[in-house]
Amino acid sequence: AETELILVADKQIAPCDGCAACETTGECVYQDDMSALLQKMAGSQVWVLGTPVYWWGPTAQFKVYLDRWYSKSFLPEDKAIFRGRRVVLAIPMGDSDPRTARNVVGMFEDALHFSEAILFATILAPGVDRLGEVRTHGEVMARAREAGREAVAT
């Protein structure tokens, strides 16, 4: 599969302010990097979305990105960006208890269901505190590789 790594923390994405303009137009009032990200998402069959658990939730940068999906959730023609897309979640966390990710996983389950995307796999990586540390967790890496292979093959 062809892949591209996008770090939302490196993008300029304005937070949704609830103005509701998108409910009638299908477009967000902000002109920022989110439009290009949505175009990339529309052109992809599988999305691998990842965020570490920060205080029982996703990172602030990831939450801003996810909140902006809202602008494409009202008009049926806009919802096509999400409909049927296979999504693999990758969620590292410092805590060794996988239940620490329950709010992040639940948020994704609900958002993906609402937007008609398919939660294909959830890969939790408990006990991972530092960037790149997950590479030392062979079982997690094997599950992630297998989920990616299956998501692309489906």
Side-chain angles (χ1 to χ4, degrees):
E2 197 174 307
T3 63
E4 181 178 356
L5 174 64
I6 298 171
L7 302 173
V8 295
D10 293 342
K11 301 295 180 187
Q12 295 296 316
I13 304 173
C16 178
D17 65 7
C19 72
C22 62
E23 291 183 28
T24 54
T25 67
E27 297 296 327
C28 183
V29 296
Y30 293 114
Q31 299 301 310
D32 56 16
D33 291 336
M34 193 63 194
S35 296
L37 290 176
L38 287 166
Q39 287 177 355
K40 285 185 181 287
M41 292 167 67
S44 302
Q45 296 174 340
V46 176
W47 306 335
V48 177
L49 303 175
T51 179
V53 176
Y54 278 17
W55 200 245
W56 293 277
T59 63
Q61 297 88 342
F62 194 92
K63 184 63 166 81
V64 167
Y65 161 72
L66 184 65
D67 285 350
R68 289 286 298 282
W69 289 14
Y70 187 75
S71 69
K72 295 297 182 188
S73 298
F74 290 97
L75 302 177
E77 61 272 17
D78 287 337
K79 211 170 198 175
I81 289 173
F82 306 103
R83 194 172 294 115
R85 297 295 190 262
R86 293 178 300 279
V87 178
V88 176
L89 301 179
I91 305 174
M93 68 201 89
D95 195 344
S96 61
D97 185 350
R99 292 179 302 171
T100 299
R102 69 189 176 280
N103 296 326
V104 177
V105 172
M107 178 196 66
F108 276 115
E109 288 171 343
D110 293 342
L112 294 172
H113 174 74
F114 180 79
S115 52
E116 299 178 17
I118 300 163
L119 178 53
F120 191 83
T122 301
I123 309 299
L124 299 180
V128 174
D129 261 339
R130 289 181 293 283
L131 183 63
E133 183 180 356
V134 72
R135 290 184 190 109
T136 66
H137 295 249
E139 182 181 313
V140 173
M141 294 300 293
R143 284 197 323 264
R145 278 189 290 279
E146 185 59 26
R149 270 198 228 55
E150 289 177 8
V152 170
T154 300

